[in-house]
Amino acid sequence: LLLTVLLLVALQSCQCLAWKPCPVVGWGAESQQVVAGYSDGTIRVFSVSRTEMELKMHPHTVALTAITYSTDGEMILSGGKDGLVAVSSPHTGMTIRILAEHKGSPITVLQCTRKEYRDFGVEGGELWLATSSDRRVSIWASDWLKDKCELLDWLSFPAPAGPEGLGGLPPSLAAFCPWEPGTLVYVGFGMQKEALFYSLRKKQVVKKISLPYFATSLSLSPAARFMAVGFSERLLRLLRCPTSDAQDYTGHDDAIHLCCFAPSGRCLLTASHSAVLLWELTGS
């Protein structure tokens, strides 16, 4: 890895970031952009090629905890510590919608994926989900050009009584399954240590995969049927789906709080408190 760009914002802590989706182009293209969410509730859009900030927005009054672009890069979805989700335009800098369904619980995940226009009986070419610390997941169908945003499903996962507050519990995490359209995967504190596959069409959990511990990070490969799960016990598990064949790896010195497959699916990035590891997937 080579550090090529350093972007600094004085007195503020970057809490989350996301690359703008764009067509496959060569490195150095002017379209390279990244959006970052900060502890003061601001969003900043940076040009990587020009190493400068292009836009600053302030849709939140509290620290951001999750951020992503829509699949076409035309909107920015951001979630805050107070559970509010904002939809903002990187072209105008205006916030066009505030969603309060998760109010009161920090947003842990925001993710968008494409869908067929009439899939699930609703209009729009995009599905997106929001996950919050209280083990709730909302799934939405959107057409931002027509100002349409419709709640498609609302999931709430049970759990035994835990310690006061949510700070000491494993995070609630969800992701769309790239190889099973209309399916999402959920991990979090619950009745069992497991990963749940939920079908949006059948409105039910269709598969469960047992885990050795409660997960602290999750990533699904966009190119193959692999799922990476990290744990606070410093363990990384790579699962092949649907067989659930598992391979465990060590190497971290603390809880693994980030797993992220590369778009090619050939590499996996994992991070703990003091280490970032790059794994290469070999064989079949």
Side-chain angles (χ1 to χ4, degrees):
L1 295 177
L2 177 65
L3 178 62
T4 58
V5 176
L6 180 62
L7 301 169
L8 297 177
V9 175
L11 304 179
Q12 297 302 328
S13 172
C14 180
Q15 305 293 304
C16 47
L17 55 84
W19 285 93
K20 180 180 180 180
C22 61
V24 178
V25 292
W27 287 105
E30 289 296 318
S31 61
Q32 289 185 42
Q33 287 182 324
V34 64
V35 63
Y38 286 83
S39 54
D40 62 349
T42 59
I43 293 174
R44 291 169 169 87
V45 177
F46 295 95
S47 168
V48 176
S49 54
R50 293 196 297 271
T51 66
E52 65 182 19
M53 185 177 73
E54 295 184 333
L55 179 66
K56 177 182 175 181
M57 300 178 284
H58 203 159
H60 298 271
T61 60
V62 298
L64 273 78
T65 52
I67 198 164
T68 191
Y69 275 96
S70 60
T71 53
D72 59 7
E74 295 300 306
M75 292 294 169
I76 294 172
L77 285 71
S78 56
K81 191 175 181 179
D82 57 3
L84 298 183
V85 175
V87 182
S88 308
S89 168
H91 302 291
T92 66
M94 300 294 292
T95 298
I96 64 172
R97 189 182 290 262
I98 296 288
L99 301 167
E101 277 74 6
H102 291 270
K103 186 176 181 179
S105 184
I107 301 298
T108 54
V109 178
L110 290 168
Q111 187 189 12
C112 301
T113 189
R114 296 187 184 276
K115 78 172 186 67
E116 296 298 325
Y117 190 75
R118 292 288 183 179
D119 206 4
F120 305 106
V122 295
E123 295 185 357
E126 181 170 87
L127 288 179
W128 63 274
L129 64 79
T131 308
S132 51
S133 295
D134 57 0
R135 300 176 301 280
R136 297 178 185 272
V137 183
S138 59
I139 301 95
W140 306 76
S142 299
D143 187 334
W144 301 119
L145 294 179
K146 295 183 178 180
D147 195 29
K148 291 183 179 294
C149 185
E150 182 177 345
L151 182 63
L152 190 64
D153 210 337
W154 180 262
L155 312 180
S156 181
F157 294 93
E164 289 296 325
L166 298 171
L169 298 179
S172 301
L173 306 171
F176 289 112
C177 186
W179 59 82
E180 292 184 14
T183 302
L184 63 86
V185 179
Y186 172 85
V187 295
F189 182 65
M191 307 304 293
Q192 302 292 334
K193 302 178 182 69
E194 57 191 3
L196 304 176
F197 286 69
Y198 179 86
S199 170
L200 295 172
R201 294 185 175 87
K202 297 180 179 180
K203 304 288 186 180
Q204 65 183 35
V205 174
V206 293
K207 184 178 178 63
K208 299 180 180 180
I209 296 179
S210 296
L211 301 175
Y213 312 103
F214 288 117
T216 52
S217 54
L218 171 73
S219 184
L220 280 70
S221 171
R225 291 173 174 262
F226 283 107
M227 180 170 67
V229 186
F231 306 96
S232 60
E233 289 75 12
R234 310 175 185 180
L235 181 73
L236 172 68
R237 172 163 288 191
L238 187 66
L239 291 144
R240 184 191 296 271
C241 299
T243 61
S244 303
D245 293 339
Q247 184 67 49
D248 291 337
Y249 301 90
T250 58
H252 284 281
D253 58 358
D254 207 333
I256 302 175
H257 61 77
L258 173 69
C259 293
C260 184
F261 276 103
S264 66
R266 292 192 296 268
C267 295
L268 173 69
L269 194 70
T270 61
S272 60
H273 175 70
S274 59
V276 176
L277 302 183
L278 182 65
W279 308 78
E280 181 180 0
L281 277 70
T282 59
S284 57

